[in-house]
Amino acid sequence: MSQEQRLREQALTDRVLASFGASENERLRDVMRALVEHLHGFIREVRLTEQEWSTAIEFLTAVGHITDDRRQEFILLSDVLGASMQVVTVNNEAVSSETEATVFGPFFVDGSPEITYGDDISAGASGQPCWVQGKVTDTDGNPLAHARIDVWQADDDGFYDVQYDDGRTAARAHIFTDTQGRYGFWALTPTPYPIPHDGPVGRFLEAVGRSPMRAPHLHFMVAAPGMRTLVTHIFVRDGAGHLDADSVFGVRDSLIKDFVVQDPATPPPAGRDVGGREWARVEFDISLAPN
Ligand code: BEZ
Ligand code: FE
């Protein structure tokens, strides 16, 4: 590239950067300047063609067109580009031995039913019964009594209740820890499922040879006064082969747990009758960082 060409490109970047100088919002100015630096740097680095830019605009337009109150394709795009997970990482700075955070996902619903120790969250959602227990502490190991734990998950067909036609609530609940910080409830052994992939994000994944599958997981959100609210999942150890290729980059090694399958003859906790089926159990001790 000629020196003249390089100077022209840099002069344009510099003009755009300078255009934010009058903004009174310092944060907005800083964010926009960094965005323009990276955007121009990217265009210049890959020598983006006009055809490619137009394809990118058409793609974003399609992402907008499929988005409505029930379908948020922009979040999905952010998820598959690892941007959602990077925002989580930046905003949950490692301070000590606290449990790691991961993506929130689109399937949390406010106002889930409250359960108590030993109850079952499935409410008819299909899957293998799974006993989930653990304790919630601060990073020094002190128990956190009355911490709120929200849990939600897909059934073994890969659907959350919000994707059912009949509006019923299933496989989601919240529970409070006891005075020792302990909790325990029945859920379902998580199975893999695809993120919605019948739109532009699905076509993008196909174009780059990636799978839409999420590694099998159970969602948690844990809140206690004075502590940083934790949004996370636990993942099934073998992950049915999806742990290394989770479509939204949510897997952290520390969140991979042993879901140990139990013989039907083993008495299930909390007096549960599993109808002679196999069941599983998993332990998840949760440590919250201070606020
Ligand atoms: C989920 O885990 O529920 C999820 C996360 C990101 C995109 C789609 C689904
Ligand atoms: Fe999920």
Side-chain angles (χ1 to χ4, degrees):
M1 188 194 313
S2 70
Q3 176 70 349
E4 173 58 22
Q5 177 65 21
R6 212 183 311 277
L7 288 173
R8 276 189 204 177
E9 291 176 10
Q10 189 56 48
L12 175 61
T13 301
D14 291 344
R15 272 211 307 285
V16 182
L17 291 175
S19 75
F20 300 114
S23 167
E24 281 173 14
N25 182 333
E26 196 181 333
R27 174 71 180 156
L28 178 63
R29 198 170 63 217
D30 292 349
V31 169
M32 289 313 301
R33 278 186 177 151
L35 178 68
V36 165
E37 290 260 29
H38 288 278
L39 180 61
H40 282 227
F42 155 74
I43 293 168
R44 294 167 68 187
E45 180 187 324
V46 303
R47 312 308 300 164
L48 198 72
T49 68
E50 286 167 304
Q51 180 55 51
E52 286 164 344
W53 186 236
S54 152
T55 301
I57 302 280
E58 279 163 24
F59 174 75
L60 290 176
T61 305
V63 169
H65 280 161
I66 202 173
T67 295
D68 60 19
D69 338 341
R70 294 171 61 96
R71 172 83 178 245
Q72 232 304 355
E73 197 79 355
F74 282 106
I75 295 184
L76 224 45
L77 179 58
S78 153
D79 293 338
V80 302
L81 292 177
S84 304
M85 194 58 193
Q86 193 64 280
V87 172
V88 168
T89 307
V90 165
N91 285 279
N92 287 272
E93 201 168 327
V95 288
S96 173
S97 56
E98 73 279 2
T99 303
E100 288 188 272
T102 187
V103 283
F104 196 40
F107 297 120
F108 174 78
V109 177
D110 252 332
S112 69
E114 181 173 341
I115 56 165
T116 58
Y117 187 92
D119 286 348
D120 177 15
I121 73 164
S122 67
S126 61
Q128 181 184 67
C130 180
W131 173 250
V132 185
Q133 70 171 35
K135 59 184 187 303
V136 180
T137 63
D138 64 17
T139 50
D140 294 325
N142 301 307
L144 294 171
H146 210 66
R148 177 178 169 132
I149 304 176
D150 274 89
V151 284
W152 65 105
Q153 69 174 142
D155 64 20
D156 65 355
D157 290 320
F159 296 112
Y160 286 81
D161 58 359
V162 288
Q163 296 171 298
Y164 299 162
D165 297 334
D166 56 9
R168 80 196 133 99
T169 296
R172 70 177 68 245
H174 68 276
I175 188 169
F176 291 94
T177 55
D178 68 11
T179 51
Q180 316 288 306
R182 286 176 309 211
Y183 71 89
F185 58 86
W186 284 95
L188 302 169
T189 306
T191 52
Y193 68 87
I195 62 168
H197 59 112
D198 55 343
V201 168
R203 291 198 290 282
F204 161 73
L205 289 177
E206 205 176 323
V208 295
R210 274 174 50 188
S211 159
M213 296 304 284
R214 289 230 55 206
H217 60 273
L218 172 61
H219 291 262
F220 280 75
M221 179 160 68
V222 188
M227 311 308 284
R228 183 163 84 192
T229 295
L230 172 70
V231 173
T232 196
H233 320 338
I234 50 174
F235 294 91
V236 180
R237 168 108 28 224
D238 74 16
H242 298 288
L243 284 178
D244 290 336
D246 182 47
S247 53
V248 304
F249 304 96
V251 179
R252 310 269 207 194
D253 286 350
S254 66
L255 300 175
I256 300 172
K257 303 290 169 193
D258 292 307
F259 285 70
V260 185
V261 178
Q262 310 289 311
D263 189 90
T266 313
R272 171 86 189 264
D273 176 2
V274 293
R277 288 182 294 163
E278 275 187 343
W279 55 280
R281 63 184 307 151
V282 64
E283 296 263 346
F284 181 35
D285 289 338
I286 299 163
S287 160
L288 298 185
N291 229 339

